[in-house]
Amino acid sequence: MSILTAQDITYTYPGTNVPALDRLTLTVETGEILFLLGVNGSGKTTLLHHLNGLLRPGSGAVSLHGMLLGRYREKDLFSKVGLVFQDPNDQLFAPTVEEDVMYGPRNLGEDGEKAREMAAEALATVGLAGFGPREVRTLSYGQKKRAALAGILVMDPEVLLLDEPTAGIDPIGAVRIMELVRALNESKQLTVVVTTHDVDLAAVFAHRVCVLDKGQVVRTGPAAEVLSDAAAMRKAGLRLPRIAHLAEILRDKDDVDTETLPLTIGQARKWIKDRLGNKR
Amino acid sequence: MKNIDVRLKLLFLIFILLLGSASTRPQFLIFTACFFGCLIVFTRPPLRSFKRLLIPLTFAAIFFLAHFFFGGAPMETVTILGQLIRYSPQGFVMGRLLALRIASGVLAFFWFAQSSTLTQINGAMTWLRVPAPVVAVLSMTWRYLSVYEEEICRMRQARTLRLGYQDWRSAAVSTAAIGGQAVVRAFDHSERTYRAMRIRGFDGRATAERPKPLTVTHFRHAIPLFTAAVLFLALYVGRWQVW
């Protein structure tokens, strides 16, 4: 069942002639992790800003649970569809972590004590328990990313939109953030939309992938299908996941026979074991 | 100090500011500045936050110097370190008063801001019937300041890395450039900060902690403030002369 739908949306930033989104149609299914892949300037962030109503399309419509976003009260909409900005410095504006995370619940009408409890819980969820009194400026970039995520999770959204959640984070930290997101998706049935150009991350965590190019959807479908479609990926300026790329080279240059390309280390392990087994 | 109800602190602050702006005695203002200086030390704010005092205190110094040198006739001369300096005695008195008022007021505000959270302050202002738009604007300004401060730090670091502070001349050029750039970036950043506030439910009203009714316990905690208020009043009316 779809939760968010963008129908034929077009958007052009003021002062430019080229549309950032060009008659784009996308459906987000309830409880899925959808990755929006695309190169810089392909329209990923603009699309996210449309999905939570920060931007209004020039034409077309975006709806949540079948109702146009414009018909929601802004407060209701933003508490249902949470957006985490790419740069946490844009999102964190309070002097301390606790005050920043409490900001959403306070705006939703929670009293100070309750908001404080909620903030502590959200901070614990993202692995920042005890960071409440810390000044925001003293956090590392990765911690700021987590604090920004806590500031949105505390509002208990149905849909979580993450704009490049792993950009600027070390590889282990990136995987930890995505594991946290997957855990939330599984435990709370949270619908997650992630923008990135990290195809290796998408191979591990995406249920479904949508490839954007010049403001249009060029390919969408299950992660395994889309990420192994070399032609579509390269046309959009992306590459295959490393593992799939290696398998592709083995297939094309070394005549290793394979129908599907493995995308993750786990799949590659099985793929190699199968072939080694066949040779024995 | 954090146990004292923020409403009582705000009332105390307003009382002291009123006395300070009405007072023409430098001794009173010096005492006020020292008093809040001690309270600030007692509150133990992070060292970095003291940087926020720099700009208003610099302004206070500039006002003083402007009055001191250009306060109008009659002018007198004084020798300092072998240099003959012309100054205006009338300007000296005016400048000193102005600078001390700024310094004592700024220190009082700093103590108040450091010993209370933003939502508590908003709650106290709402309790005092300050109009909601004013509370919202003040709250946004405060939030924006901390973001903006970081922005200026980053710009300064970027210039330092490219040797923008080699000598006083390049430092002056860099500082002026940052000043200009800061204004341009202010628009951009305020837009982003506003967007970040909007997605977390900001609808034009400031978040305020609804204060509980004041009880005897609140007043008991605030006994040191009441004592200080009486002391200040006594000093102001001059019945208790310490000088």
Side-chain angles (χ1 to χ4, degrees):
Chain A
M1 205 176 90
S2 65
I3 186 165
L4 259 177
T5 314
Q7 188 68 44
D8 238 2
I9 57 172
T10 298
Y11 183 80
T12 307
Y13 281 101
T16 60
N17 297 321
V18 185
L21 298 179
D22 190 4
R23 286 164 291 142
L24 182 145
T25 295
L26 176 81
T27 303
V28 182
E29 303 293 335
T30 308
E32 74 171 343
I33 300 181
L34 172 68
F35 268 65
L36 301 177
L37 296 181
V39 294
N40 295 338
S42 58
K44 302 186 298 289
T45 300
T46 309
L47 176 57
L48 278 198
H49 286 198
H50 276 82
L51 292 180
N52 92 325
L54 258 186
L55 291 175
R56 296 286 157 94
S59 65
V62 184
S63 47
L64 173 71
H65 291 302
M67 190 159 100
L68 290 176
L69 294 194
R71 298 176 74 176
Y72 283 90
R73 280 196 323 151
E74 206 169 64
K75 231 175 209 185
D76 295 336
L77 180 61
F78 291 144
S79 62
K80 284 177 198 293
V81 186
L83 167 67
V84 182
F85 290 159
Q86 177 179 346
D87 186 352
N89 293 313
D90 289 345
Q91 191 160 326
L92 305 170
F93 46 72
T96 66
V97 176
E98 184 185 61
E99 277 189 67
D100 199 275
V101 179
M102 278 171 67
Y103 186 74
R106 298 289 296 127
N107 277 328
L108 293 177
E110 299 293 350
D111 67 56
E113 214 38 58
K114 174 81 176 147
R116 202 161 283 125
E117 276 171 29
M118 291 167 77
E121 198 182 315
L123 285 170
T125 305
V126 299
L128 291 181
F131 277 65
R134 285 269 295 267
E135 276 192 76
V136 168
R137 72 178 88 223
T138 63
L139 301 185
S140 71
Y141 194 75
Q143 287 168 340
K144 279 184 182 177
K145 281 253 185 194
R146 283 168 179 270
L149 178 60
I152 296 300
L153 286 179
V154 74
M155 294 167 77
D156 198 19
E158 290 175 38
V159 183
L160 182 63
L161 309 175
L162 301 169
D163 193 1
E164 306 266 7
T166 57
I169 300 186
D170 59 86
I172 302 285
V175 169
R176 283 205 184 127
I177 281 208
M178 286 314 301
E179 275 172 351
L180 168 68
V181 169
R182 181 159 64 187
L184 289 167
N185 164 263
E186 285 168 1
S187 62
K188 295 187 172 182
Q189 283 299 297
L190 185 67
T191 306
V192 184
V193 181
V194 181
T195 69
T196 184
H197 43 246
D198 187 339
V199 288
D200 294 301
L201 207 66
V204 178
F205 293 100
H207 296 156
R208 220 156 55 86
V209 167
C210 172
V211 180
L212 296 182
D213 186 31
K214 299 188 185 89
Q216 292 179 322
V217 174
V218 293
R219 182 86 160 83
T220 183
E225 245 175 54
V226 177
L227 293 172
S228 55
D229 184 347
M233 294 288 282
R234 288 191 180 121
K235 196 174 164 218
L238 297 166
R239 60 168 175 81
L240 289 178
R242 297 263 181 230
I243 300 284
H245 191 194
L246 174 65
E248 187 196 33
I249 292 170
L250 289 170
R251 183 189 66 190
D252 297 346
K253 302 205 168 154
D254 300 313
D255 295 327
V256 174
D257 184 32
T258 182
E259 278 179 20
T260 55
L261 299 175
L263 299 174
T264 61
I265 288 178
Q267 289 170 15
R269 180 169 172 244
K270 187 171 177 301
W271 187 77
I272 292 168
K273 275 172 77 177
D274 286 348
R275 268 143 197 82
L276 287 176
N278 289 344
K279 293 224 164 160
R280 275 179 197 159
Chain B
M1 194 56 68
K2 284 182 180 170
N3 289 335
I4 300 175
D5 189 274
V6 73
R7 288 165 290 182
L8 299 176
K9 277 195 273 188
L10 183 60
L11 286 176
F12 176 66
L13 177 74
I14 293 170
F15 176 70
I16 297 300
L17 289 178
L18 284 175
L19 287 188
S21 52
S23 173
T24 51
R25 287 193 305 150
Q27 294 93 327
F28 177 82
L29 295 167
I30 290 170
F31 179 79
T32 309
C34 292
F35 177 82
F36 282 105
C38 292
L39 282 189
I40 290 166
V41 172
F42 191 60
T43 312
R44 281 191 288 180
L47 279 178
R48 283 184 67 133
S49 61
F50 282 96
K51 281 203 295 192
R52 290 184 182 160
L53 292 173
L54 271 179
I55 293 176
L57 292 183
T58 307
F59 271 110
I62 290 170
F63 281 134
F64 171 72
L65 291 174
H67 277 87
F68 183 76
F69 288 114
F70 311 107
M75 300 294 278
E76 286 185 13
T77 51
V78 63
T79 309
I80 299 174
L81 298 171
Q83 298 289 320
L84 205 61
I85 291 171
R86 276 170 61 80
Y87 76 101
S88 158
Q90 200 184 332
F92 170 74
V93 173
M94 275 304 292
R96 183 182 60 182
L97 187 64
L98 200 56
L100 284 173
R101 274 184 186 162
I102 294 173
S104 58
V106 163
L107 288 171
F109 261 116
F110 186 72
W111 158 76
F112 180 65
Q114 290 299 324
S115 60
S116 331
T117 67
L118 187 61
T119 40
Q120 284 174 337
I121 295 172
N122 287 347
M125 285 196 289
T126 311
W127 179 78
L128 278 177
R129 303 275 186 273
V130 176
V134 176
V135 178
V137 168
L138 288 175
S139 146
M140 273 192 86
T141 309
W142 179 247
R143 284 185 196 291
Y144 183 64
L145 275 179
S146 60
V147 174
Y148 197 49
E149 204 180 321
E150 258 187 272
E151 187 84 16
I152 289 177
C153 274
R154 272 199 293 273
M155 284 195 281
R156 195 177 190 284
Q157 281 166 349
R159 287 202 162 254
T160 309
L161 283 174
R162 283 177 283 162
L163 310 176
Y165 289 89
Q166 289 268 67
D167 47 45
W168 71 268
R169 205 182 291 267
S170 60
V173 171
S174 291
T175 306
I178 286 177
Q181 192 66 25
V183 176
V184 178
R185 287 207 190 180
F187 289 103
D188 187 39
H189 217 127
S190 58
E191 180 68 26
R192 277 181 279 161
T193 303
Y194 171 65
R195 219 181 297 154
M197 291 170 77
R198 240 182 96 200
I199 62 166
R200 287 195 275 162
F202 177 69
D203 59 359
R205 280 174 292 186
T207 51
E209 223 159 79
R210 187 170 295 167
K212 293 170 188 151
L214 287 172
T215 61
V216 177
T217 319
H218 286 121
F219 287 102
R220 212 166 41 220
H221 280 310
I223 284 173
L225 283 194
F226 294 133
T227 314
V230 172
L231 176 67
F232 272 97
L233 193 64
L235 282 173
Y236 177 73
V237 296
R239 298 237 167 116
W240 184 56
Q241 290 284 353
V242 286
W243 293 283

